[in-house]
Amino acid sequence: MRHAILVRYDEIGIKGKNRPDFVRRLVANIQRATGLSKEEIQVEWGRIYLHPSGDPQGVCERLSRVFGVKSFSVVLAVPHDLDCMREAAVELARRALARGARTFKIEARRSFKAFPLNSMEINRELGHAVSQALPELRVEVRAPEVVLEVEVRKEGVFLGSERIPGPGGLPVGVAGRALLLLSGGIDSPVAGWMLMKRGVAVDAVYFHSPPYVGEKAKEKVLELGRVLARWRAEALTIYVPHFTEIQVEVSRVTPPPLWTILFRRFMHRVAERIAQTYRYGALATGESLGQVASQTMKNLACVDAATRMLVLRPLVGWDKAEIVRLARQIGTYEISILPYEDCCILFAPRHPETHARLERVEAIEAPLDVPRLVKSALERMEIFSVTERDISVVPSPSA
């Protein structure tokens, strides 16, 4: 009898011919997140088994943040031997009793059809063994306090008493790469998390405007990157172009109500250049339709017209309460509300345009030397590699 962690995956199971690729990606992400060796990970049809040589608790904590994992259980693994199965079932029941459980149920699944007992017979045998060994525990079929799950598979028999939910979704990396426009606010980190849950490998770009925006604002964004990196299973890259000259030039020639739209058009242009250089398939933002005056359908269309790249907006139909709830859940909210404002807040007009016309925006923008301004932002760009534990500067080749 030995301990193992049984991992159940989510949508991967219905992926047909692509399933092996999705499983390979999930296993690679689990290995990166947990630090387990290849020898400690066993892949079988429909299940992944982890055999950590150390304490499984730390592995479980990291596993709970790996997208693609539906649930997992710390199980006792035994051979196809009824006496061993009885011993394991009694051991799990004894632990449940120590935790305060008073009723139980055995729930067996037999995918290995060569095993001589069917599921009902296994339930009966193990239930009888537990009742005999621990008479304080009573069988309760409809609403038991603990369910002892038994999986009889070709590779062995696995018994567990607790399913720990995973984050679900798809393994990060199976749905391509996207560049997230990450501010210090509440919405964009949540948008990045949503995309990672759908299998997108997300990196980020933050627009820095010194001296109008201090170093604390940049540090805040890097801290948000550390939280997102926990869910990515590997380092997150954050690009930090300098946006000061663009904001000064735009605010000099543009009526204040249009500042936000023109700033965003430039942000998308700069981000598109980075995405083309580093081969991202899409841009991503945390915009939610109608949440603030600048996020109307017409304004978003004006912004999108500045580039040709696909823009993903996973929060477009969410309200603020929903976004805040998820931000608290994933651990970004407390960082996002720190009082270090980004360049968008400091240059926000008092009365922003809500129904911008593209022809007018392009006419106002015409005197600006767009290629030079974009190039200037990229020439002074910093690049950071961010993990949960470490932030390091990456040498910046010319973008």
Side-chain angles (χ1 to χ4, degrees):
M1 188 163 56
R2 56 187 170 79
H3 282 95
I5 300 173
L6 185 156
V7 179
R8 306 169 187 88
Y9 38 73
D10 205 30
E11 297 175 45
I12 295 174
I14 57 172
K15 290 302 178 187
K17 293 181 180 178
N18 292 327
R19 178 172 166 163
D21 292 336
F22 281 57
V23 171
R24 272 194 290 273
R25 175 68 72 164
L26 177 58
V27 169
N29 290 351
I30 288 174
Q31 191 177 355
R32 273 195 290 265
T34 62
L36 295 178
S37 66
K38 287 183 180 178
E39 291 73 25
E40 292 173 297
I41 301 178
Q42 175 188 358
V43 182
E44 300 292 344
W45 182 256
R47 295 287 185 270
I48 298 169
Y49 301 98
L50 309 183
H51 305 284
S53 53
D55 178 15
Q57 199 55 44
V59 174
C60 290
E61 184 183 337
R62 293 184 174 279
L63 203 56
S64 66
R65 296 195 294 263
V66 177
F67 289 119
V69 172
K70 180 182 180 182
S71 67
F72 56 94
S73 302
V74 178
V75 296
L76 292 176
V78 298
H80 296 113
D81 179 274
L82 195 54
D83 286 338
C84 293
M85 293 164 63
R86 290 192 187 102
E87 182 185 355
V90 170
E91 172 60 25
L92 288 175
R94 183 175 286 112
R95 295 178 190 176
L97 182 65
R99 293 195 300 269
R102 290 295 177 266
T103 59
F104 79 101
K105 172 186 177 183
I106 304 288
E107 202 168 88
R109 295 176 60 189
R110 188 194 60 151
S111 60
F112 180 50
K113 301 304 181 186
F115 191 76
L117 302 184
N118 63 32
S119 297
M120 289 298 293
E121 291 168 334
I122 295 169
N123 290 343
R124 193 161 49 240
E125 286 289 336
L126 300 191
H128 178 71
V130 170
S131 295
Q132 288 290 102
L134 303 167
E136 311 95 301
L137 271 178
R138 180 170 52 84
V139 174
E140 169 57 64
V141 178
R142 293 186 178 177
E145 292 175 354
V146 62
V147 177
L148 302 183
E149 293 187 87
V150 183
E151 291 201 12
V152 181
R153 299 173 62 85
K154 184 179 180 182
E155 57 270 21
V157 182
F158 303 88
L159 301 93
S161 60
E162 184 182 12
R163 283 196 180 205
I164 303 167
L170 297 172
V172 171
V174 298
R177 304 170 72 227
L179 188 62
L180 172 71
L181 277 66
L182 180 64
S183 71
I186 297 171
D187 300 349
S188 54
V190 175
W193 187 91
M194 290 288 291
L195 287 173
M196 286 194 281
K197 186 174 182 180
R198 298 311 305 155
V200 179
V202 172
D203 288 315
V205 54
Y206 163 68
F207 296 90
H208 196 42
S209 289
Y212 303 105
V213 175
E215 288 298 298
K216 287 288 187 184
K218 185 169 71 179
E219 292 169 8
K220 175 181 168 182
V221 169
L222 294 175
E223 283 301 311
L224 289 170
R226 288 164 71 111
V227 177
L228 292 178
R230 291 176 195 161
W231 298 90
R232 199 185 188 285
E234 60 183 345
L236 184 88
T237 301
I238 299 183
Y239 305 89
V240 185
H242 278 214
F243 205 57
T244 311
E245 187 177 359
I246 290 174
Q247 289 198 288
V248 170
E249 282 292 297
V250 168
S251 57
R252 185 177 63 81
V253 303
T254 308
L258 287 173
W259 284 1
T260 302
I261 294 170
L262 267 71
F263 292 157
R264 292 193 183 281
R265 282 169 61 85
F266 270 98
M267 287 177 175
H268 280 231
R269 289 184 178 111
V270 173
E272 184 182 52
R273 282 284 303 277
I274 298 170
Q276 290 169 343
T277 302
Y278 294 97
R279 298 183 180 180
Y280 294 94
L283 305 182
T285 76
E287 289 156 323
S288 168
L289 194 61
Q291 185 184 114
V292 296
S294 63
Q295 293 177 13
T296 64
M297 199 176 293
K298 284 196 171 182
N299 286 3
L300 294 178
C302 279
V303 172
D304 285 359
T307 65
R308 300 182 64 181
M309 202 154 200
L310 172 67
V311 180
L312 302 173
R313 293 185 171 92
L315 304 183
V316 71
W318 286 43
D319 63 36
K320 196 67 177 183
E322 292 170 320
I323 297 170
V324 167
R325 194 179 306 124
L326 185 51
R328 290 182 188 277
Q329 181 185 327
I330 65 179
T332 56
Y333 179 77
E334 296 301 328
I335 302 171
S336 291
I337 61 173
L338 292 173
Y340 308 120
E341 294 175 333
D342 60 37
C343 62
C344 295
I345 301 296
L346 291 178
F347 281 81
R350 293 185 62 185
H351 303 290
E353 175 65 63
T354 56
H355 294 84
R357 289 183 297 109
L358 181 59
E359 300 79 12
R360 181 171 179 245
V361 168
E362 290 178 337
I364 290 172
E365 206 176 56
L368 296 170
D369 188 344
V370 172
R372 184 189 66 77
L373 289 170
V374 170
K375 183 180 179 185
S376 171
L378 293 169
E379 283 176 344
R380 285 175 283 178
M381 182 169 72
E382 301 170 279
I383 304 177
F384 297 90
S385 176
V386 181
T387 68
E388 182 179 358
R389 296 183 178 82
D390 185 48
I391 298 173
S392 58
V393 177
V394 177
S396 175
S398 174

